[in-house]
Coordinates of all heavy atoms in Angstrom, one line a residue:
T15 N -19.7 13.5 -14.4 CA -20.4 12.3 -13.9 C -19.6 11.8 -12.7 O -18.4 12.0 -12.6 CB -20.4 11.3 -15.0 OG1 -19.1 10.8 -15.3 CG2 -21.1 11.8 -16.3
P16 N -20.3 11.0 -11.9 CA -19.7 10.4 -10.7 C -18.5 9.5 -11.1 O -17.5 9.5 -10.4 CB -20.8 9.6 -10.1 CG -22.0 10.2 -10.5 CD -21.7 10.7 -11.9
E17 N -18.6 8.8 -12.2 CA -17.5 8.0 -12.6 C -16.2 8.8 -13.0 O -15.1 8.4 -12.6 CB -17.9 7.1 -13.9 CG -16.8 6.2 -14.4 CD -16.4 5.1 -13.5 OE1 -17.1 4.8 -12.5 OE2 -15.3 4.6 -13.7
L18 N -16.4 9.9 -13.6 CA -15.2 10.8 -13.9 C -14.6 11.3 -12.7 O -13.4 11.4 -12.6 CB -15.6 11.9 -14.9 CG -16.0 11.4 -16.3 CD1 -16.5 12.6 -17.1 CD2 -14.8 10.8 -17.0
V19 N -15.4 11.7 -11.7 CA -14.9 12.2 -10.5 C -14.1 11.2 -9.7 O -13.0 11.4 -9.2 CB -16.1 12.8 -9.6 CG1 -15.6 13.1 -8.2 CG2 -16.7 14.0 -10.2
R20 N -14.6 9.9 -9.7 CA -14.0 8.8 -9.1 C -12.6 8.5 -9.7 O -11.6 8.4 -9.0 CB -14.9 7.6 -9.1 CG -14.3 6.4 -8.3 CD -15.2 5.2 -8.4 NE -15.2 4.6 -9.7 CZ -14.2 3.9 -10.3 NH1 -13.1 3.7 -9.6 NH2 -14.3 3.4 -11.5
R21 N -12.6 8.6 -11.0 CA -11.3 8.3 -11.8 C -10.3 9.4 -11.5 O -9.1 9.1 -11.3 CB -11.6 8.2 -13.3 CG -12.2 7.0 -13.7 CD -12.4 6.9 -15.2 NE -13.2 5.8 -15.6 CZ -13.6 5.6 -16.8 NH1 -13.2 6.5 -17.8 NH2 -14.3 4.6 -17.2
K22 N -10.7 10.6 -11.4 CA -9.8 11.7 -11.2 C -9.2 11.6 -9.8 O -8.0 11.8 -9.5 CB -10.5 13.1 -11.3 CG -9.6 14.3 -11.1 CD -10.3 15.6 -11.2 CE -9.4 16.7 -11.0 NZ -10.0 18.0 -11.0
K23 N -10.1 11.3 -8.8 CA -9.6 11.1 -7.4 C -8.6 10.0 -7.3 O -7.6 10.1 -6.6 CB -10.8 10.9 -6.5 CG -10.4 10.9 -5.0 CD -11.6 10.8 -4.1 CE -11.2 10.9 -2.7 NZ -12.3 11.1 -1.8
W24 N -8.9 8.9 -8.0 CA -8.0 7.7 -8.0 C -6.6 8.1 -8.6 O -5.6 7.8 -8.0 CB -8.6 6.6 -8.8 CG -7.8 5.4 -8.9 CD1 -7.1 4.9 -9.9 CD2 -7.4 4.5 -7.8 NE1 -6.4 3.8 -9.6 CE2 -6.6 3.5 -8.3 CE3 -7.8 4.4 -6.4 CZ2 -6.1 2.5 -7.5 CZ3 -7.3 3.4 -5.7 CH2 -6.5 2.4 -6.2
R25 N -6.6 8.9 -9.7 CA -5.4 9.3 -10.3 C -4.6 10.2 -9.3 O -3.4 10.1 -9.2 CB -5.6 10.1 -11.6 CG -5.9 9.2 -12.8 CD -5.9 9.9 -14.1 NE -6.8 11.0 -14.1 CZ -8.0 11.0 -14.6 NH1 -8.5 9.9 -15.1 NH2 -8.8 12.1 -14.6
E26 N -5.3 11.0 -8.6 CA -4.6 11.9 -7.6 C -4.0 11.1 -6.4 O -2.9 11.3 -6.0 CB -5.6 12.9 -7.0 CG -6.0 14.0 -8.0 CD -7.2 14.8 -7.5 OE1 -7.6 14.6 -6.3 OE2 -7.6 15.7 -8.2
V27 N -4.7 10.1 -6.0 CA -4.2 9.2 -4.9 C -3.0 8.4 -5.4 O -2.0 8.4 -4.7 CB -5.3 8.2 -4.5 CG1 -4.7 7.1 -3.6 CG2 -6.4 8.9 -3.7
K28 N -3.0 7.9 -6.6 CA -1.9 7.1 -7.2 C -0.7 8.0 -7.4 O 0.4 7.6 -7.1 CB -2.3 6.4 -8.5 CG -3.4 5.4 -8.3 CD -3.1 4.4 -7.2 CE -2.2 3.3 -7.5 NZ -2.0 2.4 -6.4
R29 N -0.9 9.2 -7.8 CA 0.2 10.2 -8.0 C 0.9 10.5 -6.7 O 2.1 10.5 -6.6 CB -0.3 11.5 -8.6 CG 0.8 12.5 -9.0 CD 0.2 13.7 -9.7 NE -0.6 13.4 -10.9 CZ -1.9 13.7 -11.0 NH1 -2.5 14.4 -10.1 NH2 -2.5 13.4 -12.1
A30 N 0.1 10.7 -5.6 CA 0.6 11.0 -4.3 C 1.4 9.7 -3.8 O 2.4 9.9 -3.2 CB -0.5 11.3 -3.3
Q31 N 0.9 8.5 -4.1 CA 1.6 7.3 -3.6 C 2.9 7.2 -4.3 O 3.9 6.8 -3.7 CB 0.7 6.1 -3.8 CG -0.4 6.0 -2.9 CD -1.3 4.8 -3.2 OE1 -1.1 4.1 -4.2 NE2 -2.3 4.6 -2.3
R32 N 3.0 7.5 -5.6 CA 4.2 7.4 -6.4 C 5.3 8.4 -5.9 O 6.5 8.2 -6.1 CB 4.0 7.6 -7.9 CG 3.3 6.4 -8.5 CD 3.3 6.5 -10.0 NE 2.6 7.6 -10.5 CZ 1.3 7.7 -10.8 NH1 0.6 6.6 -10.6 NH2 0.8 8.8 -11.2
A33 N 4.9 9.4 -5.2 CA 5.8 10.4 -4.7 C 6.7 9.8 -3.6 O 7.8 10.3 -3.3 CB 5.1 11.6 -4.2
V34 N 6.2 8.7 -3.0 CA 7.0 8.0 -1.9 C 7.5 6.8 -2.6 O 6.8 5.8 -2.9 CB 6.1 7.6 -0.7 CG1 6.9 6.9 0.3 CG2 5.4 8.9 -0.1
P35 N 8.8 6.8 -2.8 CA 9.4 5.6 -3.5 C 9.4 4.3 -2.7 O 9.5 4.4 -1.5 CB 10.9 6.0 -3.8 CG 11.1 7.1 -2.8 CD 9.8 7.7 -2.5
I36 N 9.3 3.2 -3.4 CA 9.3 1.9 -2.8 C 10.8 1.6 -2.5 O 11.7 1.8 -3.4 CB 8.7 0.8 -3.6 CG1 7.2 1.1 -3.8 CG2 9.0 -0.6 -3.1 CD1 6.5 0.0 -4.6
R37 N 11.1 1.2 -1.3 CA 12.5 0.8 -1.0 C 12.9 -0.6 -1.7 O 12.0 -1.2 -2.2 CB 12.7 0.7 0.5 CG 12.5 2.1 1.1 CD 12.5 2.0 2.6 NE 12.2 3.3 3.2 CZ 11.0 3.8 3.4 NH1 9.9 3.2 3.1 NH2 10.9 5.0 4.0
Q38 N 14.1 -0.9 -1.6 CA 14.6 -2.2 -2.3 C 14.4 -3.4 -1.4 O 14.6 -4.5 -1.9 CB 16.0 -2.0 -2.7 CG 16.3 -0.9 -3.6 CD 15.6 -1.1 -5.0 OE1 15.8 -2.1 -5.6 NE2 14.8 -0.2 -5.4
R39 N 14.0 -3.3 -0.2 CA 13.9 -4.4 0.7 C 12.6 -4.3 1.6 O 12.2 -3.2 1.9 CB 15.0 -4.5 1.7 CG 16.3 -4.8 1.1 CD 17.4 -5.1 2.2 NE 18.6 -5.7 1.6 CZ 18.8 -6.9 1.3 NH1 17.8 -7.8 1.5 NH2 19.9 -7.3 0.7
C40 N 12.0 -5.4 1.9 CA 10.9 -5.4 2.8 C 11.3 -4.9 4.2 O 12.3 -5.4 4.7 CB 10.3 -6.8 2.9 SG 9.0 -7.0 4.1
E41 N 10.6 -4.0 4.8 CA 11.0 -3.4 6.1 C 10.7 -4.4 7.2 O 11.2 -4.1 8.3 CB 10.3 -2.1 6.3 CG 10.8 -1.1 5.3 CD 10.1 0.3 5.5 OE1 10.1 0.8 6.6 OE2 9.6 0.8 4.5
M42 N 10.0 -5.5 7.0 CA 9.7 -6.5 8.1 C 10.7 -7.6 8.0 O 11.3 -7.9 9.0 CB 8.3 -7.0 7.9 CG 7.2 -6.3 8.8 SD 5.6 -7.1 8.6 CE 5.7 -8.5 9.7
C43 N 10.8 -8.2 6.9 CA 11.6 -9.5 6.8 C 12.9 -9.3 6.0 O 13.8 -10.2 6.1 CB 10.8 -10.6 6.2 SG 10.5 -10.4 4.4
G44 N 13.1 -8.2 5.4 CA 14.3 -7.9 4.6 C 14.4 -8.5 3.2 O 15.4 -8.4 2.6
A45 N 13.3 -9.2 2.8 CA 13.3 -9.8 1.4 C 13.7 -8.6 0.4 O 13.2 -7.5 0.6 CB 12.0 -10.4 1.1
S46 N 14.4 -9.0 -0.6 CA 14.9 -8.0 -1.6 C 14.3 -8.2 -3.0 O 14.0 -9.3 -3.4 CB 16.4 -8.1 -1.6 OG 17.0 -7.4 -2.7
V47 N 14.2 -7.1 -3.7 CA 13.8 -7.1 -5.1 C 14.8 -7.8 -5.9 O 14.5 -8.4 -7.0 CB 13.5 -5.7 -5.7 CG1 12.3 -5.1 -5.0 CG2 14.7 -4.8 -5.6
L48 N 16.1 -7.9 -5.4 CA 17.2 -8.5 -6.2 C 17.0 -10.0 -6.2 O 17.6 -10.7 -7.1 CB 18.5 -8.2 -5.5 CG 18.9 -6.7 -5.5 CD1 20.2 -6.5 -4.7 CD2 19.0 -6.1 -6.9
T49 N 16.2 -10.6 -5.3 CA 15.9 -12.0 -5.4 C 14.5 -12.3 -6.0 O 14.0 -13.4 -5.9 CB 15.9 -12.6 -3.9 OG1 15.0 -11.9 -3.1 CG2 17.3 -12.5 -3.3
G50 N 13.9 -11.3 -6.6 CA 12.6 -11.5 -7.3 C 11.4 -11.2 -6.4 O 10.3 -11.5 -6.9
T51 N 11.6 -10.7 -5.2 CA 10.5 -10.5 -4.3 C 9.7 -9.2 -4.8 O 10.3 -8.2 -5.2 CB 11.0 -10.2 -2.9 OG1 11.7 -11.3 -2.4 CG2 9.8 -9.9 -2.0
T52 N 8.4 -9.3 -4.9 CA 7.5 -8.2 -5.2 C 7.3 -7.4 -4.0 O 6.9 -7.9 -2.9 CB 6.2 -8.7 -5.8 OG1 6.5 -9.5 -7.0 CG2 5.3 -7.5 -6.2
L53 N 7.5 -6.1 -4.0 CA 7.3 -5.2 -2.9 C 6.2 -4.2 -3.2 O 5.9 -3.9 -4.4 CB 8.6 -4.4 -2.6 CG 9.8 -5.3 -2.2 CD1 11.1 -4.4 -2.1 CD2 9.6 -6.1 -0.9
S54 N 5.5 -3.7 -2.2 CA 4.5 -2.8 -2.3 C 4.5 -1.8 -1.2 O 5.1 -2.0 -0.2 CB 3.1 -3.5 -2.4 OG 2.9 -4.2 -1.2
R55 N 3.7 -0.7 -1.3 CA 3.6 0.3 -0.2 C 2.4 -0.1 0.7 O 1.4 -0.6 0.3 CB 3.2 1.6 -0.8 CG 4.3 2.2 -1.7 CD 3.7 3.5 -2.4 NE 4.7 4.0 -3.3 CZ 4.8 3.7 -4.6 NH1 4.0 2.8 -5.1 NH2 5.7 4.2 -5.3
H56 N 2.7 0.0 2.0 CA 1.7 -0.3 3.0 C 1.4 1.0 3.8 O 2.3 1.7 4.2 CB 2.1 -1.4 4.0 CG 1.3 -1.5 5.2 ND1 0.0 -2.0 5.1 CD2 1.5 -1.3 6.5 CE1 -0.6 -2.0 6.3 NE2 0.3 -1.5 7.1
H57 N 0.1 1.4 3.9 CA -0.3 2.5 4.7 C -0.3 2.1 6.2 O -1.2 1.3 6.5 CB -1.6 3.1 4.3 CG -1.5 3.7 2.9 ND1 -1.7 2.9 1.7 CD2 -1.3 4.9 2.5 CE1 -1.6 3.7 0.7 NE2 -1.3 4.9 1.1
I58 N 0.6 2.6 7.0 CA 0.7 2.2 8.4 C -0.6 2.4 9.1 O -1.1 1.5 9.9 CB 1.9 2.9 9.1 CG1 3.2 2.4 8.4 CG2 1.9 2.6 10.6 CD1 4.4 3.3 8.7
D59 N -1.3 3.5 8.9 CA -2.5 3.8 9.6 C -3.8 3.3 8.8 O -4.9 3.5 9.2 CB -2.7 5.3 9.9 CG -2.9 6.1 8.6 OD1 -2.9 5.6 7.5 OD2 -3.0 7.4 8.8
F60 N -3.6 2.5 7.7 CA -4.6 2.0 6.9 C -5.5 3.0 6.2 O -6.5 2.7 5.6 CB -5.5 1.0 7.7 CG -4.7 -0.2 8.2 CD1 -4.2 -0.2 9.5 CD2 -4.5 -1.3 7.4 CE1 -3.4 -1.3 9.9 CE2 -3.7 -2.4 7.8 CZ -3.2 -2.4 9.1
N61 N -5.0 4.2 6.2 CA -5.8 5.3 5.5 C -5.1 5.5 4.2 O -4.0 6.1 4.1 CB -5.7 6.6 6.3 CG -6.4 7.8 5.7 OD1 -6.8 7.7 4.5 ND2 -6.4 8.9 6.3
R62 N -5.7 5.1 3.1 CA -5.1 5.2 1.8 C -5.0 6.6 1.3 O -4.3 6.9 0.3 CB -6.0 4.4 0.8 CG -6.0 2.9 1.1 CD -6.8 2.2 0.1 NE -6.9 0.8 0.5 CZ -7.8 -0.1 -0.1 NH1 -8.6 0.3 -1.1 NH2 -7.8 -1.3 0.3
Q63 N -5.6 7.5 2.0 CA -5.5 9.0 1.6 C -4.3 9.6 2.2 O -3.8 10.6 1.8 CB -6.8 9.7 2.0 CG -8.1 9.2 1.4 CD -8.1 9.3 -0.1 OE1 -7.7 10.3 -0.7 NE2 -8.5 8.2 -0.7
N64 N -3.7 9.0 3.3 CA -2.6 9.5 4.0 C -1.3 9.0 3.4 O -0.9 7.9 3.7 CB -2.7 9.1 5.5 CG -1.5 9.7 6.3 OD1 -0.6 10.3 5.7 ND2 -1.5 9.4 7.6
N65 N -0.8 9.7 2.4 CA 0.4 9.3 1.7 C 1.7 10.0 2.1 O 2.6 10.1 1.4 CB 0.2 9.5 0.2 CG -0.9 8.5 -0.3 OD1 -0.7 7.3 -0.2 ND2 -2.0 9.1 -0.8
S66 N 1.7 10.4 3.4 CA 3.0 11.0 3.9 C 4.0 9.9 4.0 O 3.7 8.7 4.3 CB 2.7 11.7 5.3 OG 2.4 10.7 6.2
R67 N 5.3 10.3 3.9 CA 6.4 9.4 4.0 C 6.4 8.6 5.3 O 6.7 7.4 5.3 CB 7.7 10.1 3.8 CG 8.0 10.6 2.4 CD 9.3 11.2 2.3 NE 9.5 11.8 1.0 CZ 9.9 11.2 -0.1 NH1 10.1 9.9 0.0 NH2 10.0 11.8 -1.2
E68 N 6.0 9.2 6.4 CA 5.9 8.6 7.7 C 4.9 7.5 7.8 O 4.9 6.7 8.7 CB 5.7 9.6 8.8 CG 6.7 10.7 8.9 CD 6.6 11.8 7.9 OE1 5.4 12.0 7.4 OE2 7.6 12.4 7.5
N69 N 3.9 7.5 6.9 CA 2.8 6.6 6.9 C 3.0 5.4 5.9 O 2.1 4.6 5.9 CB 1.5 7.3 6.7 CG 0.3 6.4 6.9 OD1 0.2 5.7 7.9 ND2 -0.6 6.3 5.9
I70 N 4.0 5.4 5.2 CA 4.3 4.4 4.2 C 5.4 3.5 4.5 O 6.5 4.0 4.9 CB 4.5 5.0 2.8 CG1 3.4 6.0 2.4 CG2 4.8 4.0 1.7 CD1 2.1 5.3 2.1
E71 N 5.2 2.2 4.5 CA 6.4 1.3 4.6 C 6.4 0.3 3.5 O 5.3 0.0 2.9 CB 6.4 0.6 6.0 CG 5.2 -0.4 6.2 CD 5.3 -1.1 7.5 OE1 6.4 -1.1 8.2 OE2 4.2 -1.5 8.0
T72 N 7.5 -0.1 3.1 CA 7.7 -1.1 2.0 C 7.6 -2.5 2.5 O 8.4 -2.8 3.4 CB 9.0 -0.8 1.2 OG1 9.0 0.5 0.7 CG2 9.1 -1.8 0.1
L73 N 6.7 -3.3 2.0 CA 6.6 -4.7 2.5 C 6.5 -5.6 1.3 O 6.0 -5.3 0.2 CB 5.3 -4.8 3.3 CG 5.2 -4.0 4.6 CD1 3.8 -4.2 5.2 CD2 6.3 -4.3 5.6
C74 N 7.0 -6.9 1.5 CA 6.7 -7.9 0.5 C 5.2 -8.3 0.7 O 4.6 -8.0 1.6 CB 7.7 -9.1 0.7 SG 7.4 -10.0 2.3
N75 N 4.7 -9.1 -0.3 CA 3.3 -9.5 -0.3 C 3.0 -10.3 1.0 O 1.9 -10.1 1.6 CB 3.0 -10.3 -1.5 CG 3.0 -9.4 -2.8 OD1 2.9 -8.2 -2.7 ND2 3.1 -10.1 -3.9
R76 N 3.9 -11.1 1.4 CA 3.6 -12.0 2.6 C 3.5 -11.1 3.9 O 2.5 -11.2 4.6 CB 4.7 -13.0 2.8 CG 4.6 -13.9 3.9 CD 5.7 -14.8 4.0 NE 5.3 -16.1 4.5 CZ 5.9 -17.2 4.5 NH1 7.1 -17.2 3.9 NH2 5.4 -18.3 4.9
C77 N 4.4 -10.2 4.0 CA 4.4 -9.3 5.2 C 3.3 -8.3 5.2 O 2.7 -8.0 6.2 CB 5.8 -8.6 5.4 SG 7.1 -9.7 5.9
H78 N 2.9 -7.9 4.0 CA 1.8 -7.0 3.8 C 0.5 -7.6 4.3 O -0.3 -7.0 5.0 CB 1.7 -6.5 2.3 CG 0.9 -5.3 2.1 ND1 1.0 -4.6 0.9 CD2 0.1 -4.6 2.9 CE1 0.2 -3.5 1.0 NE2 -0.4 -3.5 2.2
M79 N 0.3 -8.9 3.9 CA -0.9 -9.6 4.3 C -0.8 -9.8 5.8 O -1.9 -9.6 6.5 CB -0.9 -11.0 3.6 CG -2.2 -11.7 4.0 SD -2.3 -13.4 3.4 CE -2.2 -13.2 1.7
K80 N 0.3 -10.1 6.4 CA 0.4 -10.3 7.8 C 0.0 -9.0 8.6 O -0.7 -9.1 9.6 CB 1.9 -10.6 8.2 CG 2.3 -12.0 8.0 CD 3.7 -12.2 8.5 CE 4.2 -13.6 8.2 NZ 5.6 -13.7 8.6
R81 N 0.4 -7.8 8.1 CA 0.1 -6.6 8.7 C -1.5 -6.4 8.7 O -2.0 -6.0 9.7 CB 0.7 -5.4 8.0 CG 2.1 -5.2 8.2 CD 2.3 -4.3 9.5 NE 3.6 -3.8 9.5 CZ 4.6 -4.2 10.3 NH1 4.4 -5.1 11.1 NH2 5.8 -3.6 10.3
H82 N -2.1 -6.7 7.6 CA -3.6 -6.5 7.5 C -4.3 -7.6 8.4 O -5.2 -7.2 9.1 CB -4.0 -6.6 6.1 CG -3.8 -5.4 5.3 ND1 -4.7 -4.5 5.1 CD2 -2.6 -4.9 4.7 CE1 -4.2 -3.5 4.4 NE2 -2.9 -3.7 4.1
V83 N -3.8 -8.8 8.4 CA -4.5 -9.8 9.2 C -4.3 -9.5 10.7 O -5.3 -9.6 11.5 CB -3.9 -11.2 8.9 CG1 -4.4 -12.3 9.9 CG2 -4.3 -11.6 7.5
E84 N -3.1 -9.1 11.1 CA -2.8 -8.7 12.5 C -3.7 -7.6 13.0 O -4.2 -7.5 14.1 CB -1.4 -8.3 12.7 CG -0.4 -9.5 12.6 CD 1.0 -9.0 12.5 OE1 1.3 -7.8 12.5 OE2 1.9 -9.9 12.5
A85 N -4.0 -6.7 12.1 CA -4.8 -5.5 12.4 C -6.3 -5.8 12.2 O -7.2 -4.9 12.5 CB -4.4 -4.3 11.6
G86 N -6.7 -7.0 11.8 CA -8.1 -7.3 11.5 C -8.6 -6.6 10.3 O -9.8 -6.5 10.1
K87 N -7.7 -6.1 9.4 CA -8.1 -5.5 8.1 C -7.9 -6.5 7.0 O -6.9 -6.4 6.2 CB -7.2 -4.2 7.9 CG -7.2 -3.3 9.0 CD -8.4 -2.4 9.0 CE -8.2 -1.3 10.1 NZ -9.4 -0.6 10.3
N88 N -8.7 -7.5 6.9 CA -8.4 -8.6 6.0 C -9.0 -8.4 4.6 O -8.8 -9.3 3.8 CB -9.0 -9.9 6.6 CG -8.4 -10.2 8.0 OD1 -7.3 -9.7 8.3 ND2 -9.0 -11.1 8.7
W89 N -9.6 -7.3 4.4 CA -10.2 -7.2 3.0 C -9.2 -7.3 2.0 O -8.1 -6.7 2.0 CB -11.0 -5.8 2.9 CG -10.6 -4.8 3.8 CD1 -11.3 -4.4 4.9 CD2 -9.4 -3.9 3.8 NE1 -10.6 -3.4 5.6 CE2 -9.5 -3.1 4.9 CE3 -8.3 -3.9 3.0 CZ2 -8.5 -2.1 5.2 CZ3 -7.3 -2.9 3.3 CH2 -7.4 -2.1 4.4
G90 N -9.5 -8.1 1.0 CA -8.6 -8.3 -0.1 C -7.5 -9.2 0.1 O -6.7 -9.5 -0.8
C91 N -7.4 -9.8 1.2 CA -6.3 -10.8 1.5 C -6.7 -12.2 1.2 O -7.7 -12.7 1.9 CB -5.8 -10.6 2.9 SG -5.0 -9.1 3.3
I92 N -6.1 -12.8 0.3 CA -6.4 -14.2 0.0 C -6.1 -15.1 1.2 O -5.1 -15.0 1.8 CB -5.6 -14.7 -1.2 CG1 -6.0 -13.9 -2.4 CG2 -5.9 -16.2 -1.5 CD1 -5.1 -14.1 -3.6
G93 N -7.1 -16.0 1.5 CA -6.9 -16.9 2.6 C -7.2 -16.3 4.0 O -7.2 -17.0 5.0
A94 N -7.6 -15.1 4.0 CA -7.9 -14.5 5.3 C -9.4 -14.7 5.6 O -10.2 -14.7 4.7 CB -7.7 -13.0 5.3
S95 N -9.7 -14.9 6.8 CA -11.1 -15.2 7.2 C -11.7 -13.9 7.8 O -11.5 -13.7 9.0 CB -11.2 -16.4 8.2 OG -10.5 -16.1 9.3
N96 N -12.4 -13.1 7.0 CA -13.1 -11.9 7.5 C -13.7 -11.2 6.4 O -13.2 -10.9 5.4 CB -12.1 -11.0 8.3 CG -12.8 -10.0 9.2 OD1 -14.1 -10.1 9.3 ND2 -12.1 -9.2 9.8

């Protein structure tokens, strides 16, 4: 079924993303997990299928939102107008 195909593809994407570890500091502002900052992976080219190490940067939530807003990719960003 289409739902099963979608789930399988999602699992493959998440597995590929986990292969690139999250660093301990935000690459933009330097915020650290040691101070309770939540970090996430950001796809530099905004292509969620491109999980190469060169395309992933570790950002705190604030900097992650900034990257998307600056690029006009505001989907999913709270407070963004677009």
Side-chain angles (χ1 to χ4, degrees):
T15 68
E17 178 64 19
L18 290 175
V19 171
R20 188 182 65 76
R21 285 183 189 175
K22 182 179 179 186
K23 186 171 185 172
W24 179 251
R25 282 192 301 266
E26 291 171 0
V27 167
K28 296 312 278 181
R29 187 178 303 118
Q31 288 177 352
R32 284 191 300 272
V34 179
I36 293 180
R37 294 171 185 86
Q38 298 296 307
R39 292 190 172 276
C40 174
E41 294 181 48
M42 263 182 83
C43 72
S46 171
V47 294
L48 299 176
T49 59
T51 301
T52 301
L53 300 173
S54 62
R55 292 173 187 89
H56 169 68
H57 292 87
I58 296 168
D59 68 0
F60 296 96
N61 177 357
R62 295 178 187 172
Q63 302 299 313
N64 180 359
N65 292 299
S66 66
R67 290 185 186 274
E68 300 79 28
N69 188 50
I70 304 291
E71 66 181 338
T72 301
L73 299 175
C74 67
N75 290 340
R76 180 183 217 164
C77 291
H78 199 165
M79 184 187 299
K80 282 182 186 177
R81 284 276 198 252
H82 283 261
V83 170
E84 288 168 359
K87 309 278 188 189
N88 300 344
W89 21 256
C91 293
I92 297 170
S95 60
N96 196 5

